[in-house]
Amino acid sequence: MNEYTMSDNIMMVLHTLAARGNIRQLDVQFAAFIARQCPASEPADKLALLSAIVSTELGRGHICLPLFDGRGQPTDLAERLGLYGEDALRFSQMYLNTDWPALLSQASLVGNGTQPLPLVFDGKRVYLHRYWHYEVALAARLNSFWTPMSLKPTGVQKLRELLDHLFARDYHFLFHALRAAEQQGNSTAVLRQQLVCDHLDVIASETIEWDAVEQVLLSTRQVSDLQRLDTHVPMSACVNWQKVAAAVALTRRFAVISGGPGTGKTTTVTRLLAALIEQSSEHAAHLPEIKLVAPTGKAAARLTESIGRAVAQLPVSPDFKAAIPTESSTLHRLLGAIPGSAEFRHHRDNPLHLDILVIDEASMVDLPLMYKVVDALPKHARLILLGDKDQLASVEAGAVLGDICSFHALGYSVAQGQMLAQLTGYTTLTGHNQHSGMADSLCMLQKSYRFDARSGIGQLAKAVNMGSAQKVDLVWQRQFADIEHMALSSEHYRAMINTLVEEYSHYLHRIDTPQCDDDGQVETMNHKAKAVLDTFNRCRLLCAVREGDFGVAGLNHRIEKALAARKRIQTQDELWYHGRPVMVTRNDHGLGLYNGDIGICMRDDTDPEPRLKVYFELPDGSVKSVLPSRVPEHETAYAMTIHKSQGSEFDFTLMILPPEFSPILTRELIYTGITRAKKRLALYADMQVLKRGIKVRTERASGLVERLGE
């Protein structure tokens, strides 16, 4: 900032900051607009400056600009503009004596939300008017969901019986675990007790007569023998959080079920839907209209697949299973996206036709989209959000799921605790919060069925989520078989490229290996495309940054060259080639392709004139082919950013971090990357950079938490 002095025009300052990349040109233009509209009697320069900062903060994901921090100290505006040292000192002196709250309260372009003015000041925070409206309207609608469902004593008893049936103890896993320990020769009384606690979700082990349990275990010869544990391990000593989550959703029109990978969110919601259908059938002549959605096509496809598997395993009749929907869609498709418009066909005056809406991967939904979804709900509808609160927040502004889940620390109200105890039999859930509110709509799934104490992926994710460098070190010291760490070196970099060449060779081999169906007919192109996409999605390289040798752009180029050098692909200097994987980067509502969708370019030999087509899997599991010239904005997808990987999982995940620390490296980003791995994780990173990153938590400014508590 040496280029200007205290007396320089504020617009010159903003242009200088934009040239340096501290703020965007959009922020400068918005400030210029405010300055032009500001009456001569008002300090246009100061309002322009504040407007630029509010706009800049929005671009960084913040809904508003708080004028004071958590300690009540004035916000450091220089820091918000990316100014430090002498530059920051000079800037702060220019506005040292400015009473920003008084200035905003008197400015003609700043209102309290009741007038159509560009800025809103609520006494604590400054908003762009539109985002203030989104926040206030969303909070008001969610607050309206607080009223608990009216359940008669007979209805409570029926729901308890239904939940007991849907979430009945399954002794198969315990039986096989006991047998495995016996065969390995390490079956001890202590281990057997641990297995019982783990598989039966025991949280109050001190209340159990372990001598009686031990007698049952030692005399067990088949799975049915373990049924005697129902007497010795009562429900009152256990908590199955999946069952609790279902009970929460049965008592509220709005429910949030959050949990990490493998905690059974899909299983829970499938059984919950069965209970909701049963509950509705007692009060209505028709089955409820249920819609399943996700923010991206890939996440919707995963939801369709996992819901289908979960429904097949439900302990209910085939007719009952048929009533549970298994196909999911994207949020944009549900709302009715209008090409060339930010608005949707469905809104308050044209609400959605549904009774129950389930949104998966809710952490990816930004504030504007969440507002538009909730605004389009009919008044009687029930809303269920699924997601992992510890994952990355949405790319756009807001962290709605995180804000809502922050109420979990309050615990359940006394009334809700009593109701949950009646529905589940878990007496330990007795609430202590005196005020019923958002906390009563939440349930955090706390047990991972995929990752246990023997899983390096699960343990590493847990250590990262705690922000503990020491625990991260301990995880690596235990030498788990499913995780591997490589330091950043030229040798490991080349080895990583070679590994990816081998892994990606599988889907390329599948492209060129036609197969026959059961009738001996050569498979269709759509069938082949689905198999190729499934094979490609088994492995992926995730990057924290976009540019450079450690970013998406550089690594996509290197992997492409390595595959070509080994004759796995033939690029011939062409953009499109047989086998090229691509990711859509911009929504195309006309084609039904959305940001994040993955496709594979393949030669269609079934046409009279063979030509290249790009095949995408749609949320309903079907395959769509598009000519390369019609594919929306896209990029090669051998490597992808961790942000773009949300909603996806890969058997083998490779993750690479840049050699130098960057502000983009946060706890949430690293946790999200790790938890994309289902079976194997290979991490290429400088350990000091990793440890510094997990200390940085993403916090997004908003007033949603405060408004939800009103």
Side-chain angles (χ1 to χ4, degrees):
M1 283 185 57
N2 297 326
E3 294 92 332
Y4 66 89
T5 65
M6 290 173 57
S7 60
D8 284 334
N9 182 283
I10 190 63
M11 294 311 302
M12 292 177 60
V13 175
L14 294 177
H15 279 294
T16 301
L17 292 170
R20 296 180 176 184
N22 293 40
I23 64 177
R24 304 168 299 173
Q25 284 295 338
L26 176 65
D27 310 324
V28 178
Q29 294 305 315
F30 180 62
F33 167 78
I34 294 294
R36 288 194 301 269
Q37 302 298 319
C38 197
S41 60
E42 296 180 8
D45 59 335
K46 294 179 179 179
L47 280 175
L49 172 67
L50 208 61
S51 300
I53 297 176
V54 172
S55 179
T56 299
E57 290 293 280
L58 185 64
R60 294 168 179 162
H62 302 289
I63 300 300
C64 58
L65 171 66
L67 289 186
F68 304 93
D69 61 21
R71 301 183 300 274
Q73 298 298 312
T75 296
D76 188 345
L77 298 181
E79 183 182 348
R80 302 290 173 140
L81 291 170
L83 300 175
Y84 302 96
E86 291 184 6
D87 290 343
L89 182 62
R90 189 179 300 109
F91 177 91
S92 299
Q93 287 174 345
M94 293 170 63
Y95 301 99
L96 184 62
N97 298 318
T98 303
D99 186 343
W100 292 106
L103 186 152
L104 289 164
S105 299
Q106 298 167 13
S108 55
L109 295 177
V110 183
N112 58 9
T114 58
Q115 313 99 327
L117 296 171
L119 296 170
V120 173
F121 178 51
D122 67 357
K124 300 177 182 178
R125 299 168 287 263
V126 190
Y127 296 81
L128 295 184
H129 188 281
R130 180 187 299 177
Y131 284 83
W132 174 88
H133 171 69
Y134 290 156
E135 185 177 281
V136 170
L138 176 63
R141 187 66 194 277
L142 293 180
N143 284 334
S144 72
F145 286 134
W146 278 6
T147 307
M149 304 290 291
S150 178
L151 297 175
K152 298 178 180 178
T154 55
V156 171
Q157 183 58 32
K158 287 183 178 179
L159 285 177
R160 174 163 181 170
E161 292 172 359
L162 181 60
L163 287 174
D164 286 345
H165 175 64
L166 292 172
F167 294 91
R169 284 178 174 172
D170 188 344
Y171 286 106
H172 284 85
F173 295 107
L174 175 58
F175 180 81
H176 291 303
L178 291 167
R179 283 290 170 267
E182 190 176 318
Q183 291 169 5
Q184 293 167 9
N186 59 357
S187 180
T188 63
V190 174
L191 177 63
R192 290 190 290 273
Q193 183 173 328
Q194 288 177 342
L195 290 173
V196 170
C197 289
D198 185 40
H199 286 275
L200 303 188
D201 304 304
V202 176
I203 64 168
S205 60
E206 69 281 358
T207 65
I208 294 175
E209 296 181 9
W210 287 107
D211 290 341
V213 170
E214 181 72 0
Q215 290 180 12
V216 172
L217 299 179
L218 293 174
S219 62
T220 292
R221 298 292 178 267
Q222 54 190 4
V223 175
S224 58
D225 294 340
L226 292 175
Q227 296 286 346
R228 291 175 291 169
L229 292 179
D230 286 352
T231 304
H232 303 297
V233 187
M235 286 293 182
S236 57
C238 308
V239 173
N240 179 339
W241 289 106
Q242 293 186 359
K243 188 177 182 181
V244 174
V248 166
L250 289 168
T251 63
R252 289 290 189 277
R253 285 178 51 219
F254 171 62
V256 176
I257 302 172
S258 176
T263 51
K265 295 186 290 293
T266 307
T267 302
T268 303
V269 81
T270 305
R271 296 176 181 181
L272 166 61
L273 291 176
L276 286 170
I277 292 171
E278 177 69 22
Q279 188 184 36
S280 300
S281 64
E282 297 180 5
H283 306 286
H286 61 87
L287 294 173
E289 185 72 22
I290 303 171
K291 296 292 184 182
L292 310 173
V293 293
T296 66
K298 182 61 183 175
R302 275 190 58 230
L303 181 61
T304 297
E305 183 182 354
S306 54
I307 283 277
R309 287 198 305 266
V311 168
Q313 296 171 3
L314 276 177
V316 296
S317 66
D319 291 343
F320 208 87
K321 289 181 181 179
I324 302 173
T326 56
E327 289 189 7
S328 61
S329 172
T330 61
L331 275 168
H332 288 82
R333 186 182 292 274
L334 174 77
L335 291 172
I338 302 172
S341 172
E343 302 304 317
F344 296 98
R345 293 187 177 89
H346 290 287
H347 43 72
R348 182 176 302 176
D349 298 324
N350 181 29
L352 295 162
H353 303 290
L354 54 81
D355 301 301
I356 301 169
L357 177 63
V358 178
I359 303 178
D360 195 20
E361 298 290 350
S363 64
M364 300 171 63
V365 184
D366 55 54
L367 175 68
L369 187 55
M370 188 67 79
Y371 157 76
K372 290 173 182 179
V373 171
V374 172
D375 186 59
L377 289 177
K379 292 183 178 179
H380 71 279
R382 304 173 79 145
L383 175 63
I384 301 167
L385 303 183
L386 306 178
D388 185 350
K389 66 179 179 61
D390 297 314
Q391 277 190 32
L392 282 163
S394 56
V395 176
E396 303 299 328
V400 178
L401 185 70
D403 285 346
I404 293 171
C405 289
S406 66
F407 287 89
H408 176 64
L410 298 177
Y412 295 121
S413 67
V414 174
Q416 179 72 333
Q418 291 171 348
M419 175 57 71
L420 294 177
Q422 290 181 54
L423 288 172
T424 63
Y426 306 141
T427 56
T428 54
L429 295 173
T430 304
H432 57 271
N433 183 5
Q434 296 302 312
H435 303 284
S436 175
M438 190 56 64
D440 285 348
S441 297
L442 309 179
C443 184
M444 308 294 126
L445 302 180
Q446 300 173 25
K447 176 182 176 181
S448 177
Y449 296 86
R450 181 188 305 168
F451 303 130
D452 58 17
R454 294 162 293 181
S455 162
I457 298 171
Q459 294 302 308
L460 183 60
K462 186 177 180 181
V464 166
N465 211 10
M466 295 171 66
S468 172
Q470 182 182 11
K471 291 189 181 305
V472 167
D473 284 337
L474 289 173
V475 171
W476 292 118
Q477 289 170 14
R478 293 174 65 182
Q479 297 183 331
F480 289 100
D482 59 341
I483 58 173
E484 188 177 6
H485 169 249
M486 274 71 64
L488 291 180
S489 67
S490 56
E491 181 184 352
H492 286 145
Y493 192 92
R494 287 193 301 271
M496 179 185 72
I497 299 295
N498 290 333
T499 299
L500 288 163
V501 168
E502 291 304 312
E503 291 294 329
Y504 288 147
S505 294
H506 298 308
Y507 90 88
L508 293 168
H509 177 73
R510 181 65 178 87
I511 288 178
D512 297 321
T513 310
Q515 296 186 0
C516 298
D517 59 22
D518 296 336
D519 298 327
Q521 300 293 317
V522 178
E523 64 183 346
T524 64
M525 281 301 300
N526 282 358
H527 184 275
K528 178 195 280 190
K530 193 170 188 327
V532 169
L533 283 163
D534 287 343
T535 307
F536 176 68
N537 286 326
R538 291 175 188 169
C539 174
R540 196 63 44 83
L541 173 63
L542 305 183
C543 308
V545 296
R546 293 201 56 81
E547 305 301 329
D549 292 337
F550 302 89
V552 169
L555 280 161
N556 270 321
H557 179 66
R558 289 178 181 269
I559 296 167
E560 197 171 66
K561 284 185 64 177
L563 285 167
R566 292 165 175 79
K567 311 279 189 222
R568 308 292 167 83
I569 58 174
Q570 295 181 353
T571 60
Q572 298 175 335
D573 297 324
E574 296 289 335
L575 177 63
W576 290 102
Y577 54 84
H578 185 60
R580 182 192 179 200
V582 295
M583 178 192 297
V584 174
T585 57
R586 177 171 291 187
N587 295 338
D588 188 317
H589 305 295
L591 286 174
L593 297 177
Y594 298 94
N595 189 357
D597 286 352
I598 298 285
I600 302 282
C601 182
M602 296 166 50
R603 188 170 47 253
D604 183 359
D605 295 320
T606 62
D607 276 1
E609 295 184 11
R611 55 181 175 173
L612 293 175
K613 294 179 181 177
V614 187
Y615 294 84
F616 295 88
E617 184 177 2
L618 298 180
D620 62 0
S622 63
V623 173
K624 182 184 186 73
S625 63
V626 180
L627 292 174
S629 59
R630 294 198 63 199
V631 177
E633 286 187 28
H634 60 274
E635 60 189 26
T636 305
Y638 295 112
M640 61 196 298
T641 62
I642 296 172
H643 272 94
K644 291 288 189 184
S645 72
Q646 283 188 272
S648 301
E649 291 178 334
F650 314 101
D651 288 348
F652 182 21
T653 298
L654 298 91
M655 184 168 74
I656 187 167
L657 302 183
E660 304 292 334
F661 177 76
S662 164
I664 199 172
L665 294 178
T666 63
R667 183 184 306 177
E668 292 81 5
L669 184 90
I670 296 168
Y671 170 82
T672 301
I674 291 169
T675 54
R676 297 311 89 201
K678 292 174 67 175
K679 297 178 180 179
R680 291 173 59 199
L681 171 72
L683 177 63
Y684 297 81
D686 181 287
M687 197 50 63
Q688 294 308 311
V689 171
L690 174 77
K691 291 176 181 178
R692 186 174 174 185
I694 67 174
K695 295 294 184 184
V696 181
R697 293 204 66 179
T698 303
E699 293 185 6
R700 291 191 165 177
S702 85
L704 186 60
V705 173
E706 187 174 316
R707 300 187 198 282
L708 288 174
E710 293 175 351

